[in-house]
Structures are given as structure tokens and as C-alpha cells.
Amino acid sequence: MTSRYRNTAKPPDDAPMIPVPGPRPVVWAPRARTIEVVLPRRAPHDEDGAGTDAAPGDAAEPERRPLRLIGMHVPNWWGADDELAPGTDYGFSIDGGPPLPDPRSPRQPHGLLGWSRSFDPAFDWTDEAWQGPDARGAVLDVDVTTFTPEGTLDAAAARLDALSALGVAVVELRTIGSVAGVLCPHLYTVCEEIGGPRALQRFVDAAHAHGIGVSLGVAYHRAAPGAAFLEAYAPYLAPLRTRRRTPGSPLPSLPLRDEPAADVPADLPSGRRINLDRAGSREVHDWVVDSAERWFDDFHVDALRIARVQDLADASPVHLLVEVARTADAASLAHGRPVRLVGECETAEPRLLVPAEQGGRGLGTLWVRGLERSFHALVAGAREGDATWFNALSRILTMPDAAQIMLGLESTERVDEDGQAIVTALLLASAFVPRLEEPATDRLRAWTSTLLGLRRAVRDDAVLIVRRGPGGVVLVQRGNVVTVVNVGPHPRTALLPSSRRAWSVAARWSSPSEPADAPGPPRAVDPADRPGTADIRGTAGTAARSRPDHASARHDLEPLAPAPVDESSVRVAGRSAVVLTSR
């Protein structure tokens, strides 16, 4: 082999990299013979989109500027000689064809296949002191379009005070590149319907000011509807793999994914996936990894939740998850705060949590959907006095690496209020990372807020012990907090664990007809205060609402002085829960 550098003492320095996306139109297109950047003849738009809207195919003849190959250090990359002003609409024409959107489009205000728009990511951040969210805190799943009547990020930012009072540590925004509810093939885009990229920067900055982290949901396992235009540029897409590899069998001639194959999703467009391990996949990897880096650097996002990581068909030497994990590690060092990756999967595969340097995938947390369904099925199908049922629940609550596994709550529309309170008590008593939905009633909001405050007082390394009580009673002890749950319909008296200090009731879920342990006028309490006794009681006229009145969200919470109980036992009503502390 002939070396390129045989006449030099050392290889030349790397050529300067061009920011993509950036002010200069640049695109990777190995299949093109000629490329032009197409500009509609109108003034640039401002950040709010003011200007004349149009889409490719308008009657006005757009301006066309030819692109040229950049150089050997970045093969098959085309670039323009001039930069575009922020807010300029543009598209790329391949071999004289119609304008297509930029594969790395920073804004897509005219729909999936409309004009792209340049964007200046510079922002006046005020989160220099932000050190990252509490790793033990709850993650709240938020769909921006339904979270507020306006359905925008700016409107959602106005509710951060209520989320902070609830005890939320991280707000996870669902796939924000969606356009009109359709999954977007643009990995760099924030949907204009919810405010666009500038609104996301404002939301993240405001969330950090309230002590709340922000996570984004992303999907790399499939090609979204409308992604066919990417094939005009380069081999971004590849056919689905449907063959299975049995353990111990020899590898066939064609590389297969190195994870157990899952059933082919029915929503894949024309059976296509993102090309992660075929010809041209190196640049496709960069396309994905650079989008993650953009969220970390330009938008100060604290975490990414990657959908269906076990469906990432990647047999390349370095798995895509490893590259994204390394990007997150680099962002953590650059910003001086932890940047995390959460992988959504059906089953917990151990190597997903192993650091990349040790041969794993480098994820920090797994959202295991199969385990989550099993947990909810067990609680919903509770059988009073059944040892088999208790053993199955105990195995879930005490499973190894629970601190790195996320479990969520089911939709409150399918679970009654008492059932939701029981599931919430068990989840927040465990070491799992809790993934919550917004409480549907004021009682559930007060109950969740109280339990989150008690959870924050428990040490991370506290041992978790699960005990079986009489009937349908389950006791979960973690540190100096004991959660006693009665899944049966009849009241029970449960023996408490031995302790050097007396147990005190810190929170009790009470039915509307059950008398409180002690009287006391309801009053608001700062969630940062040390929790005392909280009696969550039903009141006449209390009904489930999709958006509780946050001004009175804690009116059912009756905090009293810590109420000591009998030294050895506690009474628990049917389908209820009691949380006790020893201090």
C-alpha cells in the first residue's frame, strides 16, 4: 500500500470543520452530480416567523446558486461559497430536480417536505450555575401539545412552578420534531407548532432556573414517514432485517444485528430503517451523533431518551449507542454537569448499562417496558393472601440495578384513584427511577408530592427490604421510611420492623369515609420543608381532571405534627397505604 504521507515527516493537520447545520449551506450527497441551493425570492424571516410564507413550487422563480465539492478531507460534501442570513428559507436541488429540504435542517416551518430555514443557535443563557437534575428525582412525561390549552413550549414554561412544587426533577418532552402528530424525519428540528427551536431554548433555560432538568425523546430505530427524500442525497435508509439468529449458530455471510430480533413494527414506512451498518453508514452515524451533540450544546438538554434501543440494527464495528454515549460523556465534561442517556427497551439487557470502555453500550438508565407492564399487571391483579403473588412482586421491587431502571405509571384514565395511589406508593418506595404522568386529581397530586419529598430524604445506598403482612398487606422498607400498602378490601393491622426510634406516620391515603388520625386545619406547606403527617382524604365534589387547579392543588393535604403510632404495628384501611418514618 502506498502511503499518502510518504514524503512528509508527519500527517498534515486536520482541515477545519464546517459547522453543520450552520450559516453556510453544506450537504452530504454522494449520489449527486450537481447540487444547487435554491432560495425563494423574499426577505429572511425573524425568529417568530414573520414574513411571506411559501413552499417549493410557488409561481415566483427562486434563485439558484451552485454548490461545489468542499475537498478531499470531507469526500462527497458539497458547500456554498456564501452564508445565509438567519431566517432564510432554502432547499437543495439535486441534478436539476425540485427543491428538497436539508437533511440537517435546523428549522422546518413549512412541513416535512417544505423549505428549510436557517437558524442562529446563539442564545443568552442564564443557567451557568446549573449542576444537573437530582438523579433520584421523578421524571414527568410531557406531551407539549396537550400539556396546556395553547400547546406550546412557552405556555408549558408557565407551569414550571407547579411542577417544581410537585417535586419533579426532570421533564421529558416527547419527540419534539413531530409535525401535526406525524413523526418527523428531521433529527435536528423542533416542531414549529410548539414554538420552534428558540422556544425550546427558552423552556430549557426556565426549567433550569426552577431546578428541573429537561430530557428529549428521540427515535433512531426506524425511518419516519416522509423520509424517502433522504435517499435522493445518500444511502440514509436500508431495508429492514427480518431474519433471526439463534444463539450458538454460525453467522451467515451477511452481517446481522447483534441483538435478539424483535417483531417488525407495522408502522415502518415501506419497510425501511435508518442505515447504520451498510455502505455509506459512517456518515449516517455522524448524522445521528451530531444531532445529539446539537441538543447537548445548543439547547443545554440534560438527557436523551432513545426509543426501542434493542431494535437498532447495527452490526458496525462501533455501535451507534456507543458513539452517542461518548458524545454525552464529552458534553458532560464540556458543560461541567452530567448528561445522561436513557434507553427504552422491552427487556433489560445487561450490556446496555455497561460502560462503552468495558464493551457495553454506555447507557445510564433503561426504561424497561416489559417489566413495567408486569409490575402493573401484578398490582392490578393482586390476590389477598397469595404467597405466589407476593413473591413475584417482591422479585420486581428488589431486582438488581433498580437504581438504573425506570418504571412508569399507567394512564390515570384506566386506573381508579385508589389503585393509582397504591401503585404510586409502591413505585416511590422502590429504588427504581420513577416516571410519572401528571396527577389527574388534587388528591393524587398532594399524595405524589408528599411521597416524593419523603423519597428525597432516603439515602441512595439504603437497603430495600420487602416484607409480607397479613392478607394483602405489603411492607417496603428503604432506610428510615416504611411504606405499608394494603391491596385487599378489608382493614388490616401490620407489624412494623424493629427500630431504635419510634415510628411516626408521615403520610396516609384515606378514603372519604375514613376518619383522620388527628384533626387539623388544612394549610399549604412548602415541599422543601421536612414532611410531617399528611392525611390525603377525599372531599365531596372531588373529581378527576386532566389539568388540576394548581392554585389549590394541595388543599386536601393536612400536614400535622408527626403522629407516633403503636411501637409494633399500624392499622391500614382497605385499598389504602400508610408511609412511616423513624427519626
Side-chain angles (χ1 to χ4, degrees):
M1 179 183 295
T2 302
S3 173
R4 291 177 53 196
Y5 312 116
R6 60 185 178 183
N7 295 326
T8 61
K10 66 179 183 66
D13 296 334
D14 292 337
M17 299 305 295
I18 301 173
V20 182
R24 178 182 174 186
V26 179
V27 65
W28 175 59
R31 294 177 174 174
R33 290 171 294 180
T34 62
I35 295 186
E36 298 171 309
V37 58
V38 184
L39 307 175
R41 296 183 181 275
R42 59 174 179 268
H45 292 68
D46 58 23
E47 293 182 359
D48 296 328
T52 304
D53 290 337
D58 287 348
E61 185 66 22
E63 178 185 358
R64 292 175 176 262
R65 300 177 185 176
L67 273 63
R68 58 181 178 82
L69 288 169
I70 296 177
M72 293 182 60
H73 63 290
V74 281
N76 299 317
W77 279 85
W78 302 71
D81 294 328
D82 302 323
E83 297 183 351
L84 300 180
T88 301
D89 289 346
Y90 69 98
F92 290 117
S93 172
I94 301 176
D95 299 331
L100 297 174
D102 187 353
R104 300 190 180 213
S105 173
R107 292 186 67 181
Q108 205 62 29
H110 304 291
L112 297 178
L113 302 179
W115 296 105
S116 298
R117 181 173 294 174
S118 60
F119 173 72
D120 182 7
F123 184 76
D124 187 14
W125 293 97
T126 62
D127 62 351
E128 294 82 4
W130 173 245
Q131 296 298 316
D134 182 4
R136 300 173 296 169
V139 178
L140 183 69
D141 180 25
V142 171
D143 183 351
V144 178
T145 59
T146 60
F147 190 60
T148 62
E150 298 82 1
T152 63
L153 286 165
D154 288 332
R159 295 189 54 191
L160 289 172
D161 285 331
L163 299 185
S164 178
L166 179 63
V168 172
V170 177
V171 170
E172 182 185 298
L173 306 179
R174 297 183 186 178
T175 308
I176 60 172
S178 301
V179 177
V182 179
L183 187 65
C184 184
H186 301 280
L187 301 185
Y188 297 71
T189 304
V190 180
C191 177
E192 297 292 328
E193 294 177 352
I194 63 175
R198 193 67 75 194
L200 178 60
Q201 290 178 322
R202 292 193 295 264
F203 179 85
V204 173
D205 197 47
H208 290 173
H210 286 80
I212 299 176
V214 178
S215 174
L216 299 185
V218 295
Y220 304 143
H221 67 284
R222 65 173 179 174
F229 79 93
L230 296 171
E231 284 291 278
Y233 291 96
Y236 281 96
L237 308 181
L240 281 177
R241 289 177 178 160
T242 57
R243 293 182 296 172
R244 296 176 182 269
R245 185 183 71 190
T246 58
S249 62
L251 291 175
S253 56
L254 292 177
L256 286 182
R257 55 186 291 180
D258 50 1
E259 296 143 18
D263 294 334
V264 179
D267 55 354
L268 279 172
S270 304
R272 308 292 283 178
R273 63 178 175 90
I274 295 179
N275 173 25
L276 298 177
D277 53 8
R278 298 198 172 204
S281 60
R282 176 62 265 161
E283 291 290 350
V284 179
H285 272 233
D286 292 341
W287 176 60
V288 174
V289 172
D290 291 349
S291 70
E293 183 178 7
R294 170 178 164 84
W295 298 128
F296 298 146
D297 294 344
D298 293 345
F299 294 88
H300 291 200
V301 168
D302 300 282
L304 293 181
R305 193 261 300 163
I306 306 175
R308 295 172 66 164
V309 294
Q310 287 180 324
D311 289 342
L312 285 172
D314 186 4
S316 56
V318 181
H319 198 278
L320 175 68
L321 290 178
V322 174
E323 296 192 51
V324 177
R326 291 172 178 170
T327 301
D329 292 341
S332 297
L333 293 176
H335 297 286
R337 55 178 173 81
V339 174
R340 300 181 175 89
L341 294 181
V342 179
E344 177 190 356
C345 55
E346 283 297 315
T347 59
E349 189 173 341
R351 67 171 169 177
L352 292 173
L353 295 173
V354 176
E357 295 76 10
Q358 301 177 17
R361 299 301 188 226
L363 299 180
T365 307
L366 289 182
W367 179 21
V368 186
R369 303 300 298 273
L371 180 65
E372 181 179 284
R373 287 193 294 270
S374 299
F375 172 70
H376 288 290
L378 274 174
V379 178
R383 297 186 296 272
E384 189 175 15
D386 189 340
T388 303
W389 172 85
F390 170 80
N391 292 337
L393 179 64
S394 178
R395 283 195 296 270
I396 290 179
L397 294 177
T398 59
M399 70 177 300
D401 299 326
Q404 294 180 281
I405 295 178
M406 179 185 295
L407 288 188
L409 297 178
E410 285 187 332
S411 174
T412 54
E413 298 177 357
R414 302 193 298 268
V415 183
D416 64 282
E417 192 177 36
D418 290 339
Q420 191 75 6
I422 291 174
V423 174
T424 302
L426 288 172
L427 178 60
L428 296 184
S430 70
F432 292 111
V433 178
R435 179 185 175 90
L436 310 178
E437 293 187 358
E438 188 179 15
T441 67
D442 292 341
R443 293 184 68 208
L444 286 174
R445 172 173 288 271
W447 176 247
T448 303
S449 178
T450 302
L451 297 191
L452 285 173
L454 294 170
R455 177 186 174 92
R456 287 193 295 269
V458 178
R459 294 174 51 183
D460 292 341
D461 58 352
V463 178
L464 186 139
I465 302 174
V466 181
R467 294 183 173 90
R468 180 184 175 189
V473 174
V474 177
L475 294 87
V476 182
Q477 180 181 2
R478 188 162 178 247
N480 63 337
V481 177
V482 173
T483 300
V484 185
V485 172
N486 184 7
V487 299
H490 307 294
R492 300 288 182 179
T493 299
L495 295 178
L496 295 173
S498 59
S499 174
R500 295 181 179 179
R501 301 180 180 179
W503 291 105
S504 299
V505 175
R508 181 189 296 272
W509 179 264
S510 304
S511 63
S513 59
E514 182 185 0
D517 288 344
R523 57 186 180 87
V525 172
D526 187 343
D529 291 345
R530 191 173 186 176
T533 300
D535 184 18
I536 313 300
R537 307 173 50 77
T539 57
T542 301
R545 299 191 295 272
S546 59
R547 296 186 180 89
D549 181 8
H550 302 297
S552 59
R554 299 175 59 87
H555 75 275
D556 286 327
L557 182 60
E558 297 183 5
L560 311 169
V565 298
D566 182 89
E567 294 182 359
S568 59
S569 63
V570 64
R571 185 75 170 173
V572 190
R575 289 185 59 77
S576 183
V578 178
V579 183
L580 304 97
T581 61
S582 63
R583 291 188 174 88

